[in-house]
Amino acid sequence: VWRKPVGLRPLWYHRAPNMRRFAASAAHVAPMPGSWTQRVAEMDSLAAMGNVAGVEPLFHSLIAEAPGRSRFLHNMVLKACANSGDTGKAAEWFARMRERRVGA
């Protein structure tokens, strides 16, 4: 059985020195602090914990920047309501969705 000798690298490693840097940096790309992606990730983690009070301010700041993502953001708030067990707040947010004609 043939085994790859220890220490051998793939061909692209020797041919493209810039590719080494790219492979190392592309392994994990963290969102920029304060970016839309990072705030959505924060909103998702708060929603998973059921923190409606923390999700609502993020919702209002994000919806102002990306009104086209309205359904996605409303569903994140509904997720927070569901995880907190607050059915009254969920019904209130669902009514807002219907008023704004946002599909669930």
Side-chain angles (χ1 to χ4, degrees):
V1 174
W2 181 84
R3 292 184 190 191
K4 179 180 172 184
V6 178
L8 284 183
R9 311 233 180 198
L11 286 176
W12 62 262
Y13 187 87
H14 301 287
R15 292 185 183 163
N18 291 334
M19 194 63 143
R20 287 189 296 244
R21 284 196 303 266
F22 175 75
S25 66
H28 174 70
V29 178
M32 293 175 50
S35 70
W36 197 85
T37 307
Q38 185 179 19
R39 288 183 291 150
V40 167
E42 181 183 353
M43 187 176 177
D44 185 43
S45 66
L46 290 171
M49 292 185 291
N51 186 348
V52 181
V55 167
E56 287 178 335
L58 282 170
F59 169 83
H60 294 298
S61 69
L62 290 169
I63 199 75
E65 289 179 34
R69 303 298 307 257
S70 182
R71 182 185 334 171
F72 169 72
L73 294 171
H74 277 87
N75 282 331
M76 294 278 273
V77 177
L78 288 176
K79 175 183 175 179
C81 294
N83 288 335
S84 71
D86 192 351
T87 56
K89 193 71 137 174
E92 179 184 319
W93 274 96
F94 189 72
R96 286 184 198 172
M97 287 177 71
R98 291 185 60 108
E99 286 173 11
R100 296 175 185 168
R101 298 177 191 251
V102 177

